[in-house]
Each structure stands twice: as structure tokens, then as C-alpha cells.
Amino acid sequence: MSKFPLYNTTKSREMFDRATKVIPSGIYGHLGPAEGQWIPVNRWPSFSEKAQGSYFWDVDGNRYIDYMCAYGPNVLGYNDPDVDAAALKQLKLGNCTTAPAKVMVECAETLVDTVASADWAFFCKNGSDTTTLATMAARAHTHKKKIIFLKYYYHGDFPWAQKIDYPGITPEDVANNIICPWFDLDALQKAYDDNNGDIAGLIAQPYDHGNFKDNEVASKEYWQSVRKWCDDHGVVLIIDDVRAGFRLDLAGSDHYYGFKADLICFCKALANGYNMSALCGGEHMKATVSGITYTGSYWLSGVPFAACVACINKMKALDTPTMFRRLGTMVTEGFKKAGAEHGFDLKVSGEPALFYLRIANDDNLMLHQEWVAECVNRGLFITSHHNHFINASLTEDDIKLSIDIAEDAFAAVAKNHPELKG
Amino acid sequence: MTDARTLAYINMYAVLGTLENLCELDDKAKEIISTLENPVSLAFDVKDGPSATLTFSKNGCRMEDGVNSKCDIKIPVSSCDKFNKIIDGVVTPIPTKGLTKINFLLKTFTALTDRLTEVMRPSAEALKDPDFFRLNTLCTFYTVSVAISQIGNQDAIGKFSASNIVDGDIQIGIKDTVYATIRVKNNRLITIKQASPKPRAIMEFCDIPLANALFAGTVNSIDHVGNGNITIRGLISMVDNVNRILDRVALYLA
């Protein structure tokens, strides 16, 4: 008998059907059923009613403990009172105004004081805005054309960051992209030589947290050698810290791995869900960025800046990276132990603050997808293809509940697969 | 952008290859081959392109890769472009071997390819017949399944998609109706017209009307993943890359 009865998601399906009539694919992108890997779709909640702390409630009234954190932005907990108070205070003063709110300067100063490689901050809205600006800045700075990417990359969905076989992408959109493997300096040199040195920048996440695969953390030695290679060849080193930023190290993931990026991109954990992103960089890149034509209607709105300042100050006060490492280790150790009790070999990879899970009993993720569906349908929201996220409102009681649900889900999958006992 | 060489591989293995299925599924095709007293084999040999041998008997049709030296009729073709024109019916094929079997080429084979064209490029009126609708969908399923592998192996953008597919079987199918396997090894694809014994990824359409609409391009697969009419499981990156190739099938078969 299951300790955690399966949720009914009837209203979610009804709401999703309603959405498909007026929204392409109902919910597009990473929060939707295709990219979000709702396998099978009827086990997943589609729309939420409300959220608080580490939980959200779907339109059927089911509660989920959420290890996706809106795919990252929820870093302190949904509806964090300190961040919301700062945002509401700024809202009453002014948000989207002709002269930007003065809190913009305070926000930039906060980032410069916090991020080790930052001498300035340029604000936008989404991660893609910053990765795009970073590659433009690399080209403007070097007067060169090509950008090196590391395999399994994701730097947003703007055409230049997609792949040649994606719908709507032309070969010209991606003609200046060179893809090299991770952890292979010789490949970087070969790419440089094959392109007669016409390399403007190298853009990479701080470690290989690609989807659909075990994540591979980097070493300080690796990054220091890449840093030296970029310096030796005049290549701008861009760190896309949109996903991992502030979860490993408040001074930036480049600081965590012992080097300084030329440019570093932030978004998700900047402002606890208030919409903003930032490109930061060293003094040597500031004049170049000043000369680039780049702006957006809402990029200088005041409310997210106020939220960002409050969010960063609270993350500092709580020392969230240390907390996330401890909590991430605790929850994944619990999941592994629960899995082992039912014969499952649960692999945990990546940094504990952004842990990635995979059941390794088969070679096709089908058991893993079954387990994830059983978890989600019992109120533990995880995914089968993507790293997870820890937030600061997560308690040890929440983790105990998570492990209990995970254990119940393992039992359900084991019952459906008696062959595993052999 | 399409290229003549990739189209020639599709025309050979996916389009002519569907004669295997037509002869199995279609009463009219069965009637055409029922007149064959002895098996007849016909080989196409395209310079710098594909070569294959089709063998017809009253029991059906099968295709093998390459020119069978014992074939009854051999048609060498000087280029992929010319072969594509033969398939389009604007160039007449000239055999160098098997002139005594010319009657088969002019009558039986022409009747079969005419029937294949009728099935694969149907009128809206013809599709109102449920049996014909089913036949059209199943033959298109086989054509598309084989075309995926040809595009993944030959087309420049298709090869990029294939380069991102790990080894193993991707099973595609219409639920409880028909299945095919795209087998990947070292980023080369081959289609097997049956279910996989051990798939690493699965994409299954819920019924024939949905499959037909997808092949006709009137609905989008992402929408139907969302509403559950298309089931995906396993290594979804494999399905994802096959779908990117699938997107190019319509470009070539349009």
C-alpha cells in the first residue's frame, strides 16, 4: 500500500487543453511537456495555482515539493518576504520609468562588490540577452568572428545559440560556431589553427551540466589551463553562469573554480524570480561593451533591481552556497539509499547544489522515467533529463519528506519490474 | 536546401523500397504480380549514388542492397540527377542487361510504380475510403522510416543530426499497427521495417489518422506530445534528433 497516494491531475489536463487552443503547444519551452519530459503527460501538473517556499500547488490542489525551482530562479524560496518587500517598495516608487530608477546603480555596485571578476554590470532580462551580448562583445573586442562552444552546450535559444538542424535556423545563423569537446585543450588549439586564429571567444558553462547525461564537474587545473590558453591566443573567455550562478559561489562560478572570466553571464538566481539578467566583466572589457548598441523596453526597470539587491544580500547572510552543498548532498544521499533498498542503482552527478540523477539499471532511462513519474505524481517534483536546484527555504523536514516519497516511488517501480530482483 | 544525391538514396531505398510493402498490403499490387510465373530481378546502379536490386515474384517483392550479379535486368544510370528524373517519370530508363525481359519493365514494373504513385500521392477523394486511407498511411510510414536513415547518412544537415545520436535502436510506430526501427551505430543509420527487440528510445503515434496528419504536415508533433497522442520514452535525445531529420523528410518528399 502506497504511503503517498497518486495525485489526480484532471484539472491540469483540462487547463492544458484550454491552453492549446490559444497558445502554441499549450506550454512552450522548458516548462512544457515536450522539453520538460512529462513522461507520461497525464502524471504531470500543467499549471500552478500558488507557490510558497519550496512548494507549489497545481490547479487540482496537489502540493509539490519542488526541486526544479522554476528551473533555477527560485533560489531563496517562493515569495521570500525580504525580496518581495524590497520589490514592492520599489514598485510604489516607480518601475519602468523614463529616467531609470537610482536602484539600478545600487544593484550594479552590489554585483561588483560580490562577483570577483566583475568591474561593471550590464542589465538585461533573460540569460539569452546576456550570452548574446557577451559574444557580440568578444567580436567587438577582438575584431574576430568565430566563437568556440563546448559540447552539450546550452546558451539560450537565440538563433546563433541553436543548432543547424533546428526549425527556423539557417546555416548562416550558426556558421561562426565551432564545437569542441569538454576537457580537451588540444581540440581548442586545433580549432584555433583550423580557423587561422579567427577566434573571438570561448563560451562555456562552468562545468558540463548538459541535459540527458551525467554531469561532469570541472577541476581548477582544467579552468586555469583554459584561462592561460585564452590569454595566449587573445580569445575572450565567457562564462555562462546563468544556470549555476550564485549556487556554487556568490563570487561567481569562475571564482569557485579558481580563475577569472573576461565576461560572466547571470540570470536565474539573481533576483529570486524577478525578471532580470546581468552581464558582468573585467575593466578591460568595459569600453567595448559601452560601444555596443543593445537595449530593451524593460531592461532598466527598477523593481527587479531592488529584488536583486535584497536577494544577493540575503544569500550572503545565509551563505547559501555552503547551505546548498550540504542540503544537496543530504537529499541525494537519501535518494541513493532509498533506491538501493529496492534494487536501484541511482547515479548522482554534478555539483550537489545542482544535482543530476539517473537510474543506471538499464541503458535507456526508461526505469528512471518511470521513477520520476511516480515521484511527481506523489508530490516530489523532479525531472528525468535536467539537473535539479536547491533553494534556501528547503528544510531538513522537507528533505525527509522528499526521501520518503522517493522511497515510495522506488517501491512502486520495483513492483512493476519483478525482473530486477533477479 | 536539398541535394540530388540524398534524393537519389531516398528514391531508391525509401520510395522504390516501399514496393516491398505495397505488394504485401495492397490487393491491386498483389493482382499485378500474380501474373508472374517466375521471379524477376531488377537492379538499378546509379553512378556515384545508390544501387539496389528488386526481386518480384507472385508472392511479393524484396529489395537488397547493391547490384545482384544474377539479376535479370540491369539499369545503369549515369548520375543521381538522372535517376531522380527516372523516378519522376521524365526520363525513360534504358537497361543494358535483360532486354528479353523488357516486357516486365514496360508492363509489370510500370504498373506497380503507377500504383505506388497512386497510393503515395492520393487525391483527397481517394483518401475518403478508409481502406485506402490506411494503405496510404502505412506505405507512407515505411517510406518515411527509410527516408530518415537516408537523410541521416547523406544530407549535410541530416548528418549533423545523426552525429548527435548515440548507438542503439529507436523504435517508431503507430500503436498496435506498424513499427520500424532506426538502428544507429557510429552515427550511421539503417531502417529495419519491424519493431526493435531492445529499443533505447520509443516514439509511438496513437492511431492511423494522427500518423497520416503528421506525414501530411497538417499537425505538429510537439503539440501531440503535449496532449499525449504521441508517446515518447527512453533516451529522448535520440527521438529529438530523429525528429530533426524527420523535419527534412518532408522537404525531400514534397
Side-chain angles (χ1 to χ4, degrees), chain A residues 367-421:
Chain A
L367 280 173
H368 188 67
Q369 287 159 354
E370 283 183 46
W371 175 65
V372 169
E374 296 291 348
C375 288
V376 170
N377 210 207
R378 287 167 166 79
L380 171 60
F381 198 97
I382 55 175
T383 64
S384 63
H385 68 296
H386 195 284
N387 71 270
H388 300 82
F389 298 89
I390 301 289
N391 83 88
S393 73
L394 191 71
T395 66
E396 293 191 11
D397 283 346
D398 294 331
I399 289 175
K400 186 176 179 311
L401 172 64
S402 305
I403 294 167
D404 283 348
I405 296 174
E407 195 273 335
D408 207 39
F410 278 124
V413 179
K415 191 175 171 189
N416 291 335
H417 291 275
E419 75 276 8
L420 291 172
K421 283 183 180 168

Side-chain angles (χ1 to χ4, degrees), chain A residues 151-153 182-183 205-211 213-218 350:
Chain A
K151 198 168 166 67
Y152 310 116
Y153 64 90
W182 272 90
F183 313 120
Q205 293 147 339
Y207 67 97
D208 179 10
H209 51 57
N211 299 340
K213 62 183 286 296
D214 292 352
N215 290 183
E216 289 186 71
V217 297

